[in-house]
Amino acid sequence: MSRHAALDTFGRSGNPLIRSNAFDSTAAFGDEKMTLQGAVNKTSMLLAMTVLTAGLSWNIQTPVMGLISMLGIGAALIAAISTFGFYFFFVGWILKPRPHLAPKTAPIYALGMGFAVGLISQTFEAQFPGIVLEAVSLTFFVAASMLLAYKTGIIKPDRNFLLMLFAATMGVVLTYLANLIYTLVTGNVFFVLTDNGWMGIGFSLLVVAIAALNLVLDFDIIEQGAERGAPKYIEWFGAMALVMTLIWLYLEILRLLAKLRSR
Amino acid sequence: MSASTILVGVLGAASAFMFFYLLRFKASAKQTNRDDRINWYGAESKVHDPKVPVDQSRDVDKPVPEIHEPEDRAPDRSARPQAIPSIAPVQASSPRMNKWLIAAAVVLIVVLLLSFYESTNA
């Protein structure tokens, strides 16, 4: 054991994701091992669940459904935090990641987030007809392109890639958190998030790019898990991470298209 | 339905098919045979022996300090429960976490039931 507690906790880097062995606690190699096919099946199942509840909240527009959607989002957040953990700057892991919970939490997350996706999509569709189809198509187009780039080795995720992407993703998360606080206090929204000028569109493009690059990390988690014979539950974990990024990417593309259309 | 809508729909369907089709295949050697890959799972070897805890297998090279205890004073180590190593595989979720999960699942079930109730009354 090292004499330095910080080194024991984080390794050489202070960033919990940059340190090696990110899934050490999950590295139980039992009899049942994950496969690529299993991860694909689970991703399909989770996406189907998301579409199911998205369809419900899309078609039924009542105040009760609004409340239901909020509850669904709450359940999805609990599921996501319990699986991926909760990290806070300077404090460390408030709740450690528990990938072995993914078989239970992934369906809860997918069903819960479906309500949010349906509600948001319906709102955008009412304003800009046809925008949802475009956003869904673009999401899959981007995802397929990133997957092709990853599988062929055009994009090679390494530690520097992870470091930069983690910093960029945290930047986006903090911007959204700051916006939330700003909205609660002043009732307004950050200019850059709603602006349909070049600044707003540029910001949206940047966030779409960050979300798309996050897909590469999800592919790498799944690929490496199958390669090393990781436990079966990593299939659910990888699928959940992938669906989470796909939903984020979809919502960002939706926002970008809305900005472009409102010009 | 306009031609552009059909085109966008076809593009989306083809992309979705490509996505799920490509996901099944292993990445190229160019991607997998690299020294600078992110080590997500922390194992040097490809497959661990499930009987050997991960941290024990890593510390093979470290010298083990010898402990000399008189036989009559030596504690019965077989009876003592083993401490869970910090990076030992986690097999079961904690009861506290299970409570949260059950709560989340209950919320979700209520949400789904209410939504179906809404859909029948709409």
Side-chain angles (χ1 to χ4, degrees), chain B residues 102-119:
Chain B
I102 290 164
V106 166
V107 167
L108 203 74
I109 289 163
V110 170
V111 163
L112 279 171
L113 287 175
L114 278 173
S115 63
F116 281 120
Y117 174 76
E118 275 288 303
S119 65

Side-chain angles (χ1 to χ4, degrees), chain A residues 91-138:
Chain A
V91 181
W93 287 107
I94 293 166
L95 199 67
K96 281 193 171 182
R98 290 176 169 81
H100 63 280
L101 295 177
K104 297 172 193 169
T105 52
I108 295 173
Y109 174 80
L111 289 168
M113 275 311 283
F115 285 108
V117 169
L119 207 65
I120 294 165
S121 302
Q122 211 279 336
T123 312
F124 276 94
E125 184 72 18
Q127 278 184 306
F128 310 102
I131 197 171
V132 168
L133 181 68
E134 284 175 20
V136 170
S137 296
L138 270 176

Side-chain angles (χ1 to χ4, degrees), chain B residues 39-119:
Chain B
N39 194 4
W40 294 109
Y41 297 92
E44 275 78 37
S45 60
K46 278 214 166 185
V47 179
H48 279 284
D49 182 353
K51 287 169 190 166
V52 181
V54 181
D55 60 344
Q56 274 184 27
S57 60
R58 283 223 190 96
D59 296 341
V60 165
D61 297 335
K62 290 182 185 171
V64 180
E66 285 181 28
I67 302 165
H68 297 286
E69 286 170 349
E71 272 185 23
D72 56 330
R73 287 192 202 166
D76 182 13
R77 288 203 173 82
S78 60
R80 209 190 296 172
Q82 265 195 318
I84 300 168
S86 59
I87 54 172
V90 183
Q91 297 294 353
S93 53
S94 66
R96 202 171 153 199
M97 186 52 63
N98 274 338
K99 275 180 199 167
W100 277 105
L101 285 175
I102 290 164
V106 166
V107 167
L108 203 74
I109 289 163
V110 170
V111 163
L112 279 171
L113 287 175
L114 278 173
S115 63
F116 281 120
Y117 174 76
E118 275 288 303
S119 65

Side-chain angles (χ1 to χ4, degrees), chain A residues 204-224:
Chain A
S204 275
L205 273 173
L206 181 74
V207 178
V208 166
I210 291 167
L213 287 172
N214 266 285
L215 284 173
V216 174
L217 296 184
D218 300 329
F219 300 147
D220 203 41
I221 288 171
I222 293 172
E223 183 80 32
Q224 213 178 99

Side-chain angles (χ1 to χ4, degrees), chain A residues 37 62 150-151 221 224 228, chain B residues 25 28 31 38 41 43 118:
Chain A
Q37 185 61 51
T62 58
Y150 172 78
K151 294 277 181 186
I221 288 171
Q224 213 178 99
R228 294 199 176 193
Chain B
F25 292 101
S28 66
Q31 182 67 263
I38 304 162
Y41 297 92
E118 275 288 303

Side-chain angles (χ1 to χ4, degrees), chain A residues 5 22 27 36-37 54 57 64 83 88 105 138 155 159 164 166-167 185 192 199 204 208 210 214 221 223 250-251:
Chain A
L36 278 178
Q37 185 61 51
S57 64
V64 177
T83 311
F88 202 78
T105 52
L138 270 176
I155 297 178
R159 284 192 156 218
M164 285 189 282
F166 182 79
V185 174
V192 75
M199 209 174 150
S204 275
V208 166
I210 291 167
N214 266 285
I221 288 171
E223 183 80 32
Y250 165 72
L251 293 176

